[in-house]
Amino acid sequence: MLAAVLGAAIQFGCARRGPTFDSLVLSVPERANAHVTLASENTRVAAVWAATGAHGTDVYLATSEDGGAHFGAPVRVNDIEGDATANGEQPPRVALHADDVSVVWVSKLNGTTTIRSAASTNGGKTFAAARTVTPPGVTGARGWESSAISDDGVIHAAWLDGRNALTSTTAHVPGAHQHGSGGDMRQDIFHAAWRGTEAPVEGLVATNVCFCCKTAIVSRGNNVFVGWRHLFDGGIRDIAVAHSTDGGRTFGPPVRVSPDNWKINACPDDGPALAIASDGSLHVAWPTLVNDPDKPRLGIFHAVSADGGATFSSRERVDGTRGTDPAHPRLVIDADGQPVFAWDELTAGGRQVVIRRGNEPVEVISAGHAASYPAIAEGGENLVVAWTDQTHERAAIMIARRRSSQR
């Protein structure tokens, strides 16, 4: 068992953002800390991120037992030093279920890109030795991973995979899949499920997808939903969802969430977010290009499926016309059943992280001028948001918290 614990417990200081947010910093000393994701169950909140230093990149986790009011010291997740690689669309992913904590990340340590995972059975205090989820000997690029834990404790992971590309040397290049014909390259989306020390059971979800946009996965009961940016005929790169009703053993065909018709001969590097509400409805948030009256620009949109991903409501715009270049949306359903969106956008003062609860006004929650790639979770009655802040000498993880309901 590995228990690399650094520093003292971290708690909120006196800094505030506006009337409702408190904030703190999570970081590993002498490292660049970036690419954070969050998961929560009841009042437990887990933050996982990549910390890069002289000996490579490691994955660290810090947990809160009181809805984000206090976080413990960072614990290294990967047992092999420098095992991880990460970027904004490929952050390490964390999932929670009772005392089980699962973390999934991308590794290139041995020259082959693999999906790796480590598990904790004591709430994230220690982690067992990591395992490789993807099979040995596969070629091509893989990553852009996502993860979830189902109600029965089964761990699910989804990722993009270039093993079926006929020209594997170019399969990893962003935007290299120019024409959407399959041609001499291909990127597919795979899913794997496992419990405890069982071997992962892997299967294909969809073929010929967009190359470098993050995936999303959520589960409830035997229902598993996977979301990604699909490559439709004619070079159209819109969001798709596939649904499994048998715990991830098989998936139905891709369902197009919205006919955005974003035609671009490159990868947007920006994928969807998914959440399941208490009534079982599936919520999707994503970015796409829109033709505003002044000029084409990116927008953040939201749609809902009430029939298990078979059909989706018409898209609704989330970002309005504020800021420019809104990107990297995340989504959670709060204690009142309202969708809460987080994204980053460019303003005259730099890049900032904002949130929006339902149709309420947009709130700015970052204080610096270089905030990006937010994550969002519910911790009991608290809404917890995290992001990468690069305002200072080294990148750090910022956490902000407020009551999720304003009642």
Side-chain angles (χ1 to χ4, degrees):
M1 304 291 283
L2 175 70
V5 180
L6 304 180
I10 306 169
Q11 61 182 350
F12 279 96
C14 59
R16 298 181 68 86
R17 268 308 276 169
T20 56
F21 281 98
D22 287 319
S23 61
L24 63 80
V25 179
L26 295 178
S27 66
V28 179
E30 307 303 319
R31 298 282 192 106
N33 299 267
H35 316 312
V36 62
T37 60
L38 298 175
S40 64
E41 186 175 74
N42 300 320
T43 59
R44 176 175 292 167
V45 181
V48 68
W49 69 95
T52 302
H55 299 288
T57 298
D58 297 308
V59 178
Y60 281 85
L61 175 136
T63 57
S64 168
E65 301 296 335
D66 54 10
H70 307 81
F71 278 80
V75 175
R76 200 179 88 188
V77 174
N78 52 302
D79 56 331
I80 301 174
E81 185 179 41
D83 183 41
T85 184
N87 59 41
E89 288 296 289
Q90 300 184 86
R93 299 281 196 146
V94 60
L96 301 179
H97 177 70
D99 286 333
D100 294 334
V101 182
S102 173
V103 180
V104 174
W105 67 93
V106 178
S107 173
K108 295 182 180 179
L109 191 62
N110 296 318
T112 300
T113 310
T114 60
I115 306 298
R116 299 270 281 163
S117 178
S120 170
T121 58
N122 57 13
K125 296 180 178 66
T126 59
F127 281 84
R131 66 190 304 171
T132 299
V133 176
T134 45
V138 291
T139 59
R142 60 197 45 80
W144 303 275
E145 75 288 0
S146 54
S147 183
I149 300 181
S150 63
D151 302 332
D152 58 1
V154 173
I155 301 169
H156 297 272
W159 66 93
L160 303 186
D161 198 300
R163 72 183 68 176
N164 294 320
L166 299 180
T167 309
S168 60
T169 56
T170 56
H172 70 285
V173 179
H177 203 318
Q178 299 276 329
H179 305 295
S181 63
D184 61 347
M185 301 182 297
R186 198 175 85 193
Q187 190 93 314
D188 301 330
I189 184 165
F190 278 76
H191 164 271
W194 67 96
R195 190 203 310 267
T197 59
E198 296 174 356
V201 178
E202 184 191 71
L204 184 67
V205 177
T207 62
N208 206 26
V209 306
C210 194
F211 266 63
C212 307
C213 294
K214 65 180 177 290
T215 62
I217 187 169
V218 290
S219 67
R220 177 169 294 175
N222 286 324
N223 293 291
V224 182
F225 297 92
V226 176
W228 68 95
R229 189 177 296 280
H230 196 67
L231 189 52
F232 292 93
D233 289 343
I236 302 297
R237 299 170 190 261
D238 286 348
I239 302 302
V241 168
H243 180 201
S244 170
T245 59
D246 55 10
R249 294 177 182 87
T250 60
F251 283 85
V255 174
R256 194 175 187 175
V257 173
S258 174
D260 299 336
N261 295 313
W262 189 4
K263 185 173 183 179
I264 178 175
N265 288 329
C267 182
D269 287 306
D270 205 344
L274 300 179
I276 301 178
S278 59
D279 64 1
S281 59
L282 178 67
H283 292 248
V284 187
W286 74 96
T288 194
L289 190 70
V290 291
N291 290 312
D292 278 349
D294 54 343
K295 63 178 180 180
R297 68 188 292 271
L298 290 176
I300 305 295
F301 289 87
H302 171 230
V304 183
S305 175
D307 55 10
T311 62
F312 287 86
S313 64
S314 297
R315 69 181 192 179
E316 294 185 351
R317 192 159 179 177
V318 174
D319 65 300
T321 57
R322 55 168 291 114
T324 58
D325 191 28
H328 315 131
R330 292 295 176 89
L331 167 67
V332 71
I333 308 299
D334 75 5
D336 295 331
Q338 289 291 317
V340 185
F341 310 92
W343 68 90
D344 58 68
E345 62 184 24
L346 186 64
T347 67
R351 200 147 195 98
Q352 62 185 13
V353 168
V354 301
I355 69 164
R356 185 177 189 182
R357 178 179 183 267
N359 292 321
E360 295 175 1
V362 173
E363 297 178 73
V364 179
I365 61 169
S366 60
H369 60 265
S372 63
Y373 280 100
I376 189 167
E378 270 280 306
E381 296 182 346
N382 295 318
L383 182 68
V384 183
V385 185
W387 65 91
T388 299
D389 186 276
Q390 302 184 69
T391 301
H392 304 293
E393 180 182 359
R394 288 189 177 88
I397 303 303
M398 297 296 299
I399 304 277
R401 178 188 70 120
R402 76 161 194 199
R403 287 186 62 84
S404 59
S405 173
Q406 297 302 295
R407 295 179 301 180

